[in-house]
Amino acid sequence: KAGVTQTPRYLIKTRGQQVTLSCSPISGHRSVSWYQQTPGQGLQFLFEYFSETQRNKGNFPGRFSGRQFSNSRSEMNVSTLELGDSALYLCASSLALNTEAFFGQGTRLTVV
Amino acid sequence: GNSVTQMEGPVTLSEEAFLTINCTYTATGYPSLFWYVQYPGEGLQLLLKATKADDKGSNKGFEATYRKETTSFHLEKGSVQVSDSAVYFCALRGSQGNLIFGKGTKLSVKP
């Protein structure tokens, strides 16, 4: 069974640009969560989607947004990029809410 | 609010040494507790979990026991291998369902 797929694996963007990251969950999983990982702040929760609805949101500015499609695939978007947005963005899929989370390999975003 | 504190690394051990990585938590109620492992260039993999007090999670020789009296979930392994070198994260599931992670502990095992 295929795991969680995140694309692209690496991205370099310029300050002020926007970026879209994609996550394909494990087949049959309906919940997708996003986390940001940085050396300074560690792993921080961004948001969780279930059945195309945002169920939970972390403490990030409105520049960070996401969505989930009917096939459970999810995208997150960051607008007006700042240097501090440089991070590893991890997506996790779960069968349902509050069930075991399986993580993808992440997208490494570098903002220059 | 909910939080997880784990010992700072890095931890360097010789092969076959005993490993303990301390983890304590602050939470309302009795959340599920987890240990995740991250190998270089990879995402997180669930190593083990415990869902209620006194539960012992175990996998691949690693163990951790949910201790509500000390609010702890320390990770142990009796004999580490070079292949265990990675970053280990303790986590709890918050009241809203999201995972709350500790800062991570980097383990290096030397042959």
Side-chain angles (χ1 to χ4, degrees):
Chain A
K1 181 154 110 168
V4 179
T5 303
Q6 292 188 245
T7 56
R9 289 291 309 277
Y10 302 92
L11 265 179
I12 300 175
K13 290 286 188 179
T14 305
R15 268 181 302 176
Q17 287 186 313
Q18 74 163 14
V19 67
T20 299
L21 312 182
S22 179
C23 173
S24 292
I26 293 170
S27 177
H29 285 198
R30 296 173 63 192
S31 174
V32 173
S33 301
W34 289 88
Y35 292 82
Q36 181 196 64
Q37 185 177 22
T38 60
Q41 299 299 315
L43 282 151
Q44 294 185 286
F45 171 71
L46 281 156
F47 25 66
E48 179 174 23
Y49 287 86
F50 180 78
S51 294
E52 301 178 65
T53 301
Q54 187 180 90
R55 302 291 175 157
N56 193 5
K57 188 177 190 302
N59 189 26
F60 278 82
R63 299 185 297 107
F64 292 81
S65 63
R67 59 179 175 168
Q68 187 181 32
F69 302 95
S70 58
N71 62 358
S72 294
R73 190 177 71 85
S74 178
E75 290 181 346
M76 66 163 281
N77 183 275
V78 188
S79 62
T80 319
L81 283 165
E82 301 176 0
L83 294 179
D85 297 333
S86 295
L88 180 66
Y89 289 89
L90 291 166
C91 166
S93 86
S94 304
L95 200 56
L97 294 172
N98 296 328
T99 58
E100 183 175 336
F102 295 83
F103 283 81
Q105 292 184 294
T107 294
R108 170 79 59 189
L109 172 65
T110 302
V111 182
V112 297
Chain B
N2 297 334
S3 67
V4 175
T5 303
Q6 62 181 103
M7 60 187 287
E8 299 279 336
V11 173
T12 302
L13 296 172
S14 297
E15 208 165 22
E16 298 183 4
F18 185 85
L19 168 71
T20 300
I21 301 178
N22 291 335
C23 171
T24 57
Y25 67 90
T26 301
T28 51
Y30 302 105
S32 294
L33 301 174
F34 307 86
W35 276 100
Y36 280 85
V37 58
Q38 186 175 35
Y39 298 100
E42 301 290 319
L44 301 174
Q45 297 177 25
L46 178 64
L47 184 57
L48 52 84
K49 65 180 180 182
T51 57
K52 61 184 188 297
D54 299 325
D55 262 4
K56 178 186 277 189
S58 61
N59 186 27
K60 299 181 182 179
F62 291 90
E63 292 183 339
T65 302
Y66 191 143
R67 304 278 188 205
K68 70 174 183 180
E69 61 277 7
T70 53
T71 60
S72 64
F73 193 55
H74 305 321
L75 182 69
E76 296 182 334
K77 187 176 185 184
S79 177
V80 293
Q81 305 300 312
V82 172
S83 57
D84 294 326
S85 298
V87 181
Y88 292 81
F89 292 91
C90 184
L92 63 82
R93 189 181 297 285
S95 56
Q96 304 229 23
N98 56 290
L99 292 168
I100 297 167
F101 291 90
K103 293 287 191 185
T105 302
K106 183 175 181 179
L107 169 67
S108 294
V109 181
K110 306 299 183 186

